[in-house]
Amino acid sequence: MFRVWPTKAPSAAPSTTLSLDAGEYFPAGKPFTAKLSLTNDGSTPVAAARVKLTAPAGWRIDGRGDAFVPAVLPGKTWQESVRIAPVNPSGDKVSLSADASYFTAWGARKLTADAGGPVVTPLPPGVTPMSKAPFVVSENGWGPVERGTSNGENKAGDGNPITINGQVYPDGLGAHAPSLVRVYLGGGCTSFSSVVGLDDEFATGSITFEVHGDGKTLASTDVLRHGAPAQTLNVPLKGVQVLDLIVTDGGDGNNTDHADWANAAVTC
C-alpha cells in the first residue's frame, strides 16, 4: 500500500531525460543516423543545456556533434539528428555515448546516455541454415533458442534431436513460446523455408508460427496443438532487410510450448 499526501517540502528539480537512439543494428560500412533527445517532464524550465555526442573509434560525425540548447520548457522535448559515417571501423559492435549538462532553479545537473548494437552483414549467396545465421535479436520463453536441436530445458545446449510427430529432422531451431529470432538479410535474399510444429518433448502445448519481413507479416499458421501435422512454410523474401521468426503461445499460456523451426533456411 502507498499513501500520498501534500507536503510543504521544497520542490525537486525538474525530471529530465537524455536519450540516444541509433537503431538496434548497424550495416557494415554504411553511415547511420543517431537521434538525441532532451525531455523536460518537470514543471519548471531547463536552461543553458549543452549536449554532446561521442562517436566510436573508426567513425566520424558529419557536422557538429554538440549543441547548445537555450531552454527546454516544461513538458517539451528538444531533438536533433546526427549523421555518423564510417572511416576505418573495426570490431563487431558499435557503441555510442552522449552527455548533457544544464541548469535548473536548483542548480546544475548532468545526464548521460548510451546506445549501440552489433555490426551486421548480409547473408552470403546460396542457402544458409538458420542454425548458422547470426542473430540480431534472440528471445525465448524458456532458456535460449537452440541451434540444430529442440529447445530442451533451461540451459544452453541441452536440447534433443528436433522431432515432430515422430519425424526426426537433422537441423533447425528449437524455441519455446513466446519467441523471437531476428536475422539481418540486407535485401538480397529470395526465400525462407521451414517445417514447423510442436516438438515431441511434451505431450501437450499450443503455438502459432509467424514469419515477418521488415515488420510485415509474410506468413503465419493457425494454432497448432500436440499431434497436429507439421506444416511447411515457403516464404518469398524479395527486398526484405530484416527477417523475424516469431512463436506465440496460442493464447492459453506457454507451459509446454516447445516449438520447432525444422530445417529452417534462407536462400539468397
Side-chain angles (χ1 to χ4, degrees):
M1 178 185 295
F2 294 89
R3 295 182 63 196
V4 182
W5 62 91
T7 177
K8 295 182 180 180
S11 300
S15 175
T16 311
T17 304
L18 176 67
S19 61
L20 174 59
D21 181 11
E24 65 179 8
Y25 61 87
F26 302 88
K30 294 185 178 181
F32 63 90
T33 299
K35 184 169 72 175
L36 286 160
S37 302
L38 185 63
T39 301
N40 181 358
D41 288 317
S43 57
T44 56
V46 167
R50 296 185 181 275
V51 184
K52 182 179 180 181
L53 173 67
T54 301
W59 298 80
R60 73 165 188 269
I61 297 174
D62 287 347
R64 293 184 62 90
D66 58 348
F68 176 75
V69 186
V72 181
L73 298 179
K76 300 297 183 179
T77 297
W78 168 88
Q79 291 184 333
E80 184 168 302
S81 294
V82 180
R83 186 176 184 270
I84 301 174
V87 178
N88 186 26
S90 61
D92 58 1
K93 294 182 179 180
V94 170
S95 297
L96 299 165
S97 63
D99 60 77
S101 60
Y102 57 95
F103 292 91
T104 73
W106 292 264
R109 294 289 189 275
K110 292 183 178 181
L111 292 170
T112 61
D114 299 299
V119 174
V120 296
T121 57
L123 294 181
V127 178
T128 299
M130 294 301 290
S131 62
K132 302 296 190 293
F135 297 162
V136 175
V137 174
S138 176
E139 300 172 355
N140 211 40
W142 180 248
V145 174
E146 297 286 358
R147 297 175 181 266
T149 70
S150 69
N151 187 89
E153 293 302 325
N154 199 31
K155 295 182 179 180
D158 62 3
N160 301 301
I162 291 174
T163 309
I164 304 174
N165 287 337
Q167 174 68 48
V168 178
Y169 296 85
D171 194 22
L173 300 176
H176 185 105
S179 176
L180 165 65
V181 172
R182 178 168 294 158
V183 175
Y184 178 75
L185 304 181
C189 298
T190 57
S191 64
F192 166 80
S193 62
S194 181
V195 178
V196 299
L198 277 157
D199 194 271
D200 289 351
E201 287 174 328
F202 288 103
T204 58
S206 62
I207 51 179
T208 68
F209 292 84
E210 299 178 11
V211 179
H212 292 193
D214 297 335
K216 298 179 180 179
T217 302
L218 304 179
S220 62
T221 69
D222 294 330
V223 176
L224 303 180
R225 303 185 186 278
H226 186 75
Q231 294 193 16
T232 299
L233 299 177
N234 290 295
V235 185
L237 296 176
K238 183 178 180 181
V240 171
Q241 297 288 319
V242 177
L243 174 70
D244 286 348
L245 304 182
I246 298 170
V247 181
T248 78
D249 66 5
D252 60 357
N254 70 335
N255 189 40
T256 57
D257 290 349
H258 280 203
D260 291 333
W261 296 91
N263 293 346
V266 170
T267 300
C268 303

